[in-house]
Amino acid sequence: RADQIASRTSAPSLLPPPLFPPPLPSTTTPRATLTSTSTIALGCLHRGASQKSGGYGSMANTAGQRQFNVTQSMDNSTQLLHDTIRMNDESAAIGDSTMNQLVGQREQLEGAHRQVIETRENTRAARKKLHELHRRIVMEKMILYMVITTLTLIDCLLLYRLATNKGKLF
């Protein structure tokens, strides 16, 4: 009924448009109720402050308030954009630093891999030389055993000759 009366009268309303949206009916959680209650409380505080300063104010004051809100919103958006760009630059710097560290680690790993291959080749060469030395040692031992056996046989023959020739060799 009040809406019908207000629409019939041609006089503009002296009430400013609401600054906060009306609270939504809470059907989900108590937190939503708290948020909508906080919104109502803030709206009441704002209206009380405007009443103390001389009522709801004129249309020019409301337009100025809207302009101030738009400017403040743009400033907040600009600040948020600058913060986002700064964070993006920091992330890029961290990414570059990480990439440089990874390149350095890759070079270290490649150097270590080359050293492992070189060590493996040196080990193969050393093993080959050790086998060759072992074969030589075995051959020298066999030669020494043959020399010892030959000398022992010669000594035995000389003793036999001495015993059979009455102490004379020839």
Side-chain angles (χ1 to χ4, degrees):
R1 218 173 202 191
D3 292 338
Q4 292 172 353
I5 295 171
S7 66
R8 287 182 191 165
T9 60
S10 61
S13 174
L14 296 177
L15 295 175
L19 294 175
F20 300 99
L24 297 174
S26 174
T27 57
T28 55
T29 63
R31 186 173 186 163
T33 304
L34 179 62
T35 306
S36 63
T37 306
S38 300
T39 305
I40 293 169
L42 286 174
C44 291
L45 285 175
H46 179 67
R47 286 187 196 126
S50 65
Q51 285 176 354
K52 287 180 184 175
S53 66
Y56 284 102
S58 66
M59 292 296 255
N61 192 12
T62 303
Q65 183 66 30
R66 285 185 195 154
Q67 180 65 32
F68 175 75
N69 289 343
V70 168
T71 304
Q72 190 169 3
S73 176
M74 288 177 61
D75 288 344
N76 289 343
S77 297
T78 303
Q79 184 62 37
L80 182 63
L81 183 61
H82 285 298
D83 289 345
T84 304
I85 290 171
R86 180 183 49 79
M87 288 174 59
N88 187 26
D89 291 343
E90 288 175 2
S91 297
I94 290 171
D96 289 342
S97 173
T98 303
M99 184 62 83
N100 289 336
Q101 288 176 353
L102 288 173
V103 166
Q105 289 175 357
R106 179 179 180 177
E107 290 172 358
Q108 286 178 341
L109 288 173
E110 288 174 347
H113 182 68
R114 282 190 298 270
Q115 288 178 346
V116 166
I117 291 172
E118 184 179 318
T119 303
R120 187 177 295 153
E121 290 173 3
N122 289 340
T123 304
R124 284 182 189 148
R127 184 176 292 131
K128 188 175 180 180
K129 288 202 181 241
L130 285 172
H131 284 297
E132 186 180 322
L133 285 173
H134 183 265
R135 188 182 58 79
R136 264 191 192 167
I137 289 172
V138 169
M139 290 297 288
E140 287 177 2
K141 279 184 181 181
M142 290 179 74
I143 291 172
L144 286 175
Y145 286 134
M146 287 179 17
V147 168
I148 290 172
T149 304
T150 306
L151 289 176
T152 304
L153 185 62
I154 290 174
D155 283 345
C156 287
L157 287 176
L158 287 176
L159 276 174
Y160 177 74
R161 180 80 176 168
L162 281 174
T164 56
N165 275 344
K166 300 181 186 172
K168 294 183 181 178
L169 285 175
F170 297 108

